[in-house]
Every structure is written in C-alpha cells, then in structure tokens.
Amino acid sequence: MKWLARFAMISTVCFASAFAAVESLAAEPSAAVLANWHQWRGPLATGVAPQADPPTEWTETKNVAWKVAMPGRGNATPIIWEDRVFVVTVVPTEKIDPDKADPATQPERPFGIKFPNNFHQYVTLCLDRDTGKELWRQVAAEKVPHSGTHNDNTYASASPTTDGKRLYVWFGSVGLFCYSLDGELLWEREFPEVETRVSFGEGASPVLHGDRLVLVRDHEGADTIEAFDAKTGEMLWREERDEPTTWSTPLIVEHAGRTQVVTNGKNRVRSYDLADGSLIWECGGQVDNVTPSPVARDGVVYCASGYRGSALQAISLDSTGDVTGTDKVLWSLDRNTPYVPSLLLYDDLLYYTQSNEAIVSCVDADTGESVFERSRLEGIRGLYASPVGAAEKVYFAGRDGGCVVAKKGPEFEILATNELDDGFDASPAIAGKQLFLRGRQNLYCIEAK
C-alpha cells in the first residue's frame, strides 16, 4: 500500500546501553526525558523507550487501563510527560463559510481530495495519564482549512513536543502555539499558508533542543527551515531550501562539539548548524515523497525513503560540503525501504518496513549487512505507524487494529499478535509500564493489570 500516493509515535545497565547507542544525539538525557515520551520518536529520537516495559499482549478486555473517545481526527503521536498525556486533534464544526465553495460542487482533484467550506477547531487536549480524564482543552484556532488533505492524512498530523515546562503545538499553516503544561497560552506565531503536493496536507513535527525550536516547511513553494526562541517565539534564523513537498521531521544531534539539524529530503539530505542555520553538509540519493525521519548513532545518521524507489543511507556526521557519492556515505541500500513509517534504531539494529506493507527487514547499523529480510508481520495488512521499541521488544501497530510484538534480536520471532476495535495510523508512544495507541476513534492506554 502507498500512503502519499494513497495519502498519495530503568536500570543503570539499561540506561548505559541506551545512552551509548545514541552518544551523538545530545548531551546526557535527563532522567525525566528518559522516563517519558516527550517528542515524536520518543526520548532518544530513535523510536526506543529505554526505561519502559509495557505489556506484550492485550485485547479490548485485557490490559486496557483506559480507552477514551477522541473528538475529530489526528495522526499525531500522543506526548507523555509525567502524569499527563497531550494529544492534538482537529474537529470539524457545522458552521459554514458562505464564501467558500461547497465540496460537492468542486472540480475533481487527484485522489478525490476536497477543500472544506466549514470551520474546524484546532484543539490540544491534556489527559490524566492514570485515568484518561480530560484535564484541559484549548482551541488554538477556529477557521476554514485553506486546503484539503489526502483522505488518510489529517489537519493534526504534527506531534507536539515538550521540555517539561512548556508544550509546543504546530498546526502547520494555522500556526505555532506554546502552552504551559496547565494549558495557559504563552505565545503563538502565524505562518503563511502553503500548498503541498496535490493537496496531500502537512505533517512534519517541531523539534526542540535546549532553548531552540526548529520547523521545516517543504512544500510546493519557497521552502524554509526556521529556528525560534522556545521561551518567546522570536525567530532566531531562517534559511531557504530547495525541496518538493516532504513530511519528514528533522533530527537534532550533537557531534564533535557542534549541534546539527539533519533534514531528510528528495533533492538532498542536509545538515544545518543549530546556532545560525548555516549549511554544514549535504548528500543526494533519496527518492520521492520523503516522509521517514532520520535517526543517529555513534556519529552516523541514517536516512530513508521509499516511494517510487528505495533508499537507505548511512552518512557520517563528520561530513562537510557535498558528500554525494563519497566515502562519507558509509553504506547504502536500494531495496525494501519505508514510505511513511520511520526507522527504528534499537541499539545496533536498524528496523524498517517495506513501503507501507506489513513486511519488516533489519540490518546491522554499523555495516548495513542484513540481519533478516522481508519477514511478514502476520495479523497486519498495512501500516503507516512507525515501529517502536522497549524491553527488548519491537511493536508494530497496523491500520486495521492489529499490533504485532516481536522479540528484538537477530532472529525474527513474533511474541504476540494483538487486535483492538480501531485502526492505527498514528505512531505509538511508550512510557513506564504503559503503551499509548492513538486510533482513528479512540486513545488507548495499554497497561498490565
């Protein structure tokens, strides 16, 4: 299946192992960061929760701590911080703008995309982590979306992020909003509206490092990467890019005394200096409709894409200038790579799915050599959600409600195949003993009872 062509988430030993695997990512993660899921792809931006140990098995009547119906639609990952869960969604209303064309009378567009003429509420929810009870709700804006989206995308596909003091929510062209963890609006920024490829919609998430918040806006116009002061929302720098529409969230890594912002893209994978936005290095070799986010380990960043071709590259963070075709590309692959789901980097193993299919491969992150290839995830018919890992297990959430749990390691072994009465396009989040699954209709908290 193809999404953007059809649319088109304690021990000292555990800590030490996890930190060694991501020594290039940042200064030593705090205990609070490691215990939570504060951003897209988790505490280490690899898809792994190093201190977590969620259940292996569940059903609608087994190991579901709570289940809460979600208003509206959203594909963003839930964000977990201490006793709170943060979720974003967009809720259509019945209020019509008479100046907008009725969708029923609009011309045919690819994939049947229609532009709404009714107002939508752009909503952030805060839930109690133990019970699922709503603690607060903020409507950032109520407006008519300027464009449509693919039927599998939503207007709330960018995951929020938090530093434990403030919550940052990005609704793309609608704006960037900063809240206290108690729901007080601290600041907001407006953005010009963008046109995405065939009106598929926006999707990249904001990333936070120290006091800087970074956004990438690759679309069908003038593309940019921008950095903001996380406390005030003031723009610190802005650089133009040359990319078609992408949906990939950037990765911020510290390496050799310099903080890099690595962005995945069809034309170029690029690294920018977080301090001033200057370009450090770039590399060609990806394919169309880039969506997977980069991951990094031991001075190497891994970038993938998988629409109308396949590409997976391991690029040295010591690079400078244009390194296309040089030995700074340590290894590369041209088969079985993901379209929508991002990579999972679990210690020295790199997991990825084939396109949006329920087929998984694994390579040695150091060498690119195959560990296993094209193993089928029985019980799942397709997936957009990115795989996540914890407690030596790997979790795959499917579009049809199935979720496969496999044993981490060189032998592909399925431990359980679970099923819920929902479908999952949002990536899971893991913290402590809990697994959070944001479905099309409900948010589940999975915890052993």
Side-chain angles (χ1 to χ4, degrees):
M1 298 172 67
K2 297 190 184 299
W3 175 45
L4 296 174
R6 292 190 57 216
F7 158 110
M9 142 261 144
I10 297 183
S11 66
T12 302
V13 173
C14 180
F15 171 85
S17 173
F19 181 65
V22 290
E23 62 183 0
S24 297
L25 271 178
E28 182 175 339
S30 69
V33 165
L34 288 171
N36 290 288
W37 191 280
H38 73 292
Q39 63 178 352
W40 165 246
R41 302 310 286 145
L44 305 174
T46 59
V48 175
Q51 294 185 356
D53 188 10
T56 302
E57 298 180 341
W58 60 86
T59 68
E60 285 284 341
T61 58
K62 176 183 178 181
N63 289 339
V64 174
W66 49 261
K67 172 184 175 181
V68 176
M70 288 284 99
R73 295 182 65 208
N75 286 343
T77 295
I79 296 303
I80 319 303
W81 191 262
E82 296 181 348
D83 61 351
R84 300 188 178 197
V85 180
F86 301 97
V87 193
V88 295
T89 190
V90 173
V91 183
T93 75
E94 296 182 357
K95 181 181 176 182
I96 302 297
D97 183 344
D99 295 327
K100 303 288 185 181
D102 188 323
T105 67
Q106 293 175 17
E108 289 297 319
R109 300 185 180 91
F111 308 103
I113 293 173
K114 301 293 185 180
F115 287 24
N117 67 342
N118 59 319
F119 285 79
H120 287 53
Q121 292 185 337
Y122 294 78
V123 178
T124 302
L125 299 171
C126 175
L127 308 179
D128 182 278
R129 178 171 167 180
D130 290 331
T131 65
K133 177 183 177 181
E134 185 176 315
L135 300 178
W136 56 260
R137 175 185 302 217
Q138 284 286 6
V139 178
E142 182 172 310
K143 62 185 299 183
V144 178
H146 74 285
S147 176
T149 69
H150 189 280
N151 291 332
D152 293 336
N153 196 10
T154 73
Y155 296 110
S157 290
S159 301
T161 186
T162 183
D163 55 7
K165 305 173 191 174
R166 294 171 289 271
L167 180 73
Y168 303 92
V169 178
W170 190 28
F171 287 111
S173 294
V174 172
L176 175 65
F177 304 86
C178 175
Y179 297 100
S180 74
L181 298 195
D182 291 325
E184 177 189 0
L185 180 64
L186 302 178
W187 55 261
E188 60 183 296
R189 284 195 66 97
E190 295 182 349
F191 290 90
E193 295 174 348
V194 300
E195 178 185 349
T196 58
R197 180 179 180 181
V198 201
S199 299
F200 282 158
E202 301 172 71
S205 300
V207 288
L208 181 67
H209 185 89
D211 61 358
R212 299 197 170 202
L213 189 71
V214 178
L215 308 178
V216 170
R217 307 191 84 201
D218 291 341
H219 52 99
E220 300 306 289
D223 313 310
T224 60
I225 179 172
E226 305 171 42
F228 301 88
D229 185 302
K231 294 182 180 179
T232 66
E234 175 189 1
M235 181 181 289
L236 301 176
W237 52 260
R238 181 176 185 268
E239 294 294 325
E240 294 185 356
R241 293 163 51 81
D242 178 19
E243 288 292 337
T245 304
T246 66
W247 295 265
S248 176
T249 297
L251 174 72
I252 301 181
V253 298
E254 290 183 6
H255 179 70
R258 198 174 193 182
T259 304
Q260 303 185 32
V261 185
V262 182
T263 65
N264 199 5
K266 176 189 175 182
N267 292 342
R268 288 288 189 270
V269 175
R270 297 179 179 86
S271 171
Y272 300 86
D273 193 317
L274 179 62
D276 58 11
S278 58
L279 185 66
I280 300 174
W281 57 264
E282 60 184 327
C283 183
Q286 295 296 314
V287 296
D288 282 344
N289 285 2
V290 172
T291 306
S293 302
V295 293
R297 174 183 183 271
D298 292 347
V300 180
V301 65
Y302 305 89
C303 296
S305 51
Y307 174 62
R308 292 183 177 174
S310 294
L312 173 54
Q313 296 172 300
I315 306 170
S316 173
L317 288 169
D318 287 328
S319 299
T320 56
D322 189 345
V323 299
T324 307
T326 73
D327 59 6
K328 291 299 183 181
V329 182
L330 305 178
W331 56 261
S332 63
L333 299 174
D334 61 359
R335 63 186 185 277
N336 307 330
T337 55
Y339 183 5
V340 173
S342 287
L343 306 167
L344 170 66
L345 179 59
Y346 203 157
D347 296 333
D348 60 350
L349 298 177
L350 196 61
Y351 292 86
Y352 52 93
T353 57
Q354 177 178 299
S355 187
N356 300 323
E357 300 177 52
I359 298 172
V360 62
S361 298
C362 178
V363 297
D364 184 300
D366 294 327
T367 65
E369 295 179 359
S370 177
V371 176
F372 60 81
E373 192 167 355
R374 302 192 76 250
S375 294
R376 184 163 293 278
L377 298 168
E378 299 292 346
I380 294 179
R381 288 189 289 275
L383 72 171
Y384 291 165
S386 302
V388 294
E392 302 297 300
K393 296 172 287 189
V394 180
Y395 295 75
F396 301 88
R399 303 201 66 215
D400 56 0
C403 186
V404 169
V405 183
K407 183 178 180 180
K408 176 212 167 194
E411 300 293 331
F412 183 70
E413 177 185 346
I414 293 179
L415 301 175
T417 300
N418 307 297
E419 189 169 351
L420 295 171
D421 298 337
D422 209 334
F424 303 100
D425 291 338
S427 299
I430 302 176
K433 301 289 186 180
Q434 298 168 319
L435 169 72
F436 296 87
L437 293 169
R438 197 267 179 79
R440 298 190 191 102
Q441 300 175 346
N442 305 287
L443 175 64
Y444 291 82
C445 175
I446 308 298
E447 184 177 11
K449 296 182 179 179

